[in-house]
Amino acid sequence: MVCLGMAVVSMAKPSFLRAEQPLASDLSAATSPGSSSSRRRDLVFVVNPQGANGRTGREWKKLLPYLRSRLGSDCNICESLTSGPSHAIDITREAIREGADAVVAVGGDGTLHEVVNGFFWGGKPITKHDSKVPRTTSLGLIPLGTGSDFARTFGWSNDPVDAIERIVKGSRSRIDVGVITKEGGDLHYFINVADIHLSAKAGYHASKYKRFGNLCYVIGALQAFFGHHNQDLKLRVNDGEWEVYPKVTALCIGNAQFFGGGMRITPNAHPSSGNFEVVILQDFKWYDFIMKLHRLYNGTHLSVNNVLSRSAFSIEVEEVVGTNSVYVQSDGEHLGFLPRNFSILPGVISMIC
């Protein structure tokens, strides 16, 4: 981990509705030079240098001078480069336990996904080692990856300079996180979209072709269609009765709106709503996707036949006839196969926005 000296940042009103507050006690505590009460702020930037075929690492190096010029001399900017899968989780946990003011994911949705998972341990949010000094570590994002779908929900561009300006302004708000459980398995957290069956299978294949940029999603979808069969699934929503949904093609559980390189699959979702949007596609054929692809991308597919949408704070999903072949993924990361339970943790993370 490399730390660089940086500056005080200013305050601005946040853009979210829930628990809006400036970072006066965290990132943007404006103290006068030489004040005895001033404290160097610790910002940890978790960078995936191999992301987007190495573009993330190259862009990050170009950003550092601008970062220094905008954040000055009163912050410790700690640069942590990931070396492989799950490394960002470990970096984030260590940073929070050491009392970092913010952990900023630099990369795509995969890096963000790992950083979010690093905010938790043993089913609970991680806290600073010294509990006598209350401090909330915030989550930040500089989107530099292949998809960067989470940022789209807020209308954020892929311009890293814009992302740095959000950090400089220092506004934050509470956001929701989804948690996925399986009997006898570990907890898994997601911030964007979890999905089941065809779309998850497509994501699994797409991950092998990231070197082709957004084209990887097209290649993944084509591979997923080979041998695909719609499946009858059982759903239990908000602890209610079990319901059978026949011929499910894909089921998407959105904490945010976009996945798959810009597809607005859950257009009513928002990570400060306290609920998921659940969208179910039933009995879709390959030609349905071709005919309706534009509606899936612009978010107008909810009025299409065989598309259902509902709001939920929890959902359990099982196969009617167990085949152990229905894929599950979250934030583009393959998790295995059904069954799975999904529930929401309202306002559990503070995010720089």
Side-chain angles (χ1 to χ4, degrees), residues 126-194:
I126 293 177
T127 58
K128 185 176 181 294
H129 278 312
D130 183 3
S131 59
K132 296 179 181 179
V133 182
R135 187 182 307 154
T136 297
T137 299
S138 295
L139 169 68
L141 173 63
I142 297 179
L144 284 177
T146 302
S148 298
D149 280 313
F150 179 75
R152 299 176 196 264
T153 293
F154 306 99
W156 295 343
S157 71
N158 261 359
D159 186 344
V161 172
D162 290 345
I164 290 173
E165 291 307 306
R166 285 194 296 273
I167 296 169
V168 170
K169 290 177 181 177
S171 301
R172 67 176 179 177
S173 185
R174 308 300 302 189
I175 63 167
D176 311 330
V177 170
V179 58
I180 305 172
T181 59
K182 178 183 179 181
E183 186 175 354
D186 295 331
L187 300 179
H188 200 90
Y189 301 88
F190 69 99
I191 195 171
N192 193 41
V193 177

Side-chain angles (χ1 to χ4, degrees), residues 39 43 90 99 111 137 179 279 286 351:
R39 179 181 66 83
L43 311 181
D90 297 332
T111 302
T137 299
V179 58
V279 171
W286 65 269
M351 185 163 192

